[in-house]
């Protein structure tokens, strides 16, 4: 977990859950693979969050102006299937914290339309589970052509749907079409592009969070 001080612009570690349990130790001691080890760790943390006095005391040491960033693993199962992250977020809300979830997806996913749709559905499943204000960020946009990027960011044109359907086996196109309709009609998942070479793209997610 990081603490960000707005005045100085500095970010420092507050604590690291790996000091208590790590995937590497679980894999070595129990013979699990990486995914099984991570699930085991999170289930252990789920037991831990039933008594979070230590975390509440830790956060209380910082000023009211501090921002805390919980840097979490990327496996979607931890947010769509397990309850530990929702329980943690509920505890933070009970303590008076305002929480926002930032979901990062690599822009290289758009090289394959099916991977991008998978990323969108993963984001949607986590949104439903966590029930938090949500910002989806498409990272590494400096590696992608702007015209190609626009297909995925501006779904009103219908270009993405056509690209996705053309990349789908004909027998699965009705299902793919239905998925596209859900994504387009409800507009629950939209991505903010982040390009490390464009300062305004880094500011945009922060401004969007402030506006909302």
């Amino acid at each position: 977990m990081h603490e960000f001080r707005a005045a100085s612009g500095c970010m420092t570690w507050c604590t690291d859950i790996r000091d208590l349990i790590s995937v590497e130790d679980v894999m070595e001691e129990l013979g699990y693979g990486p995914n099984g080890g991570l699930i085991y760790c999170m289930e252990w943390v789920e037991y831990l969050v039933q008594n979070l006095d230590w975390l509440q005391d830790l956060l209380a040491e910082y000023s009211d102006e501090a921002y805390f960033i919980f840097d979490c693993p990327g496996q979607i199962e931890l947010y769509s299937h397990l309850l530990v992250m929702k329980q943690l977020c509920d505890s933070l809300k009970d303590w008076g914290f305002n929480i926002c979830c930032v979901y990062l997806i690599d822009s290289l996913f758009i090289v394959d339309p099916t991977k991008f749709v998978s990323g969108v559905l993963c984001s949607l499943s986590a949104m439903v589970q966590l029930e938090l204000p949500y910002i989806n960020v498409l990272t590494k946009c400096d590696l992608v052509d702007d015209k190609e990027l626009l297909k995925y960011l501006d779904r009103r044109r219908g270009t993405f749907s056509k690209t996705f359907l053309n990349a789908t086996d004909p027998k699965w196109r009705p299902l793919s079409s239905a998925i596209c309709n859900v994504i387009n009609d409800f507009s629950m998942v939209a991505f903010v592009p982040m390009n490390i070479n464009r300062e305004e793209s880094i500011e945009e997610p922060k401004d969007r969070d402030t506006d909302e």
Side-chain angles (χ1 to χ4, degrees), residues 3-12 62-63 65-67:
E3 180 244 354
F4 177 72
R5 297 180 182 273
S8 63
C10 296
M11 184 179 293
T12 58
Y62 296 87
S63 71
E65 298 180 354
Y67 288 81

Side-chain angles (χ1 to χ4, degrees), residues 49-118:
V49 298
Q50 296 176 16
N51 182 6
L52 284 176
D53 292 343
W54 63 275
L55 179 59
Q56 188 174 15
D57 293 341
L58 176 66
L59 298 179
E61 297 176 3
Y62 296 87
S63 71
D64 293 338
E65 298 180 354
Y67 288 81
F68 296 96
I69 299 176
F70 289 77
D71 187 7
C72 303
Q75 280 80 351
I76 190 61
E77 297 89 349
L78 307 182
Y79 316 101
S80 61
H81 292 72
L82 302 182
L83 294 177
V84 56
M85 293 307 300
K86 179 172 175 53
Q87 292 171 345
L88 174 60
C89 292
D90 288 344
S91 295
L92 291 170
K93 288 189 288 186
D94 290 341
W95 300 340
F97 285 93
N98 294 319
I99 308 173
C100 177
C101 179
V102 180
Y103 177 87
L104 306 179
I105 182 173
D106 196 316
S107 65
L108 298 181
F109 267 57
I110 71 175
V111 174
D112 184 343
T114 57
K115 287 185 178 180
F116 181 76
V117 169
S118 175

Side-chain angles (χ1 to χ4, degrees), residues 159-170:
T159 307
F160 165 69
S161 297
K162 294 177 182 177
T163 302
F164 178 48
L165 293 177
N166 289 336
T168 304
D169 188 288

Side-chain angles (χ1 to χ4, degrees), residues 123-168:
S123 173
L124 182 58
S125 66
M127 288 173 63
V128 172
Q129 171 82 330
L130 295 177
E131 299 179 319
L132 292 173
Y134 217 84
I135 298 177
N136 296 289
V137 178
L138 198 61
T139 63
K140 303 180 184 177
C141 288
D142 54 302
L143 303 178
V144 180
D145 180 74
D146 287 343
K147 292 182 179 179
E148 187 70 17
L149 192 62
L150 188 60
K151 296 179 184 178
Y152 294 82
L153 297 180
D154 188 2
R155 293 195 297 269
R156 293 171 298 179
R157 300 185 178 188
T159 307
F160 165 69
S161 297
K162 294 177 182 177
T163 302
F164 178 48
L165 293 177
N166 289 336
T168 304

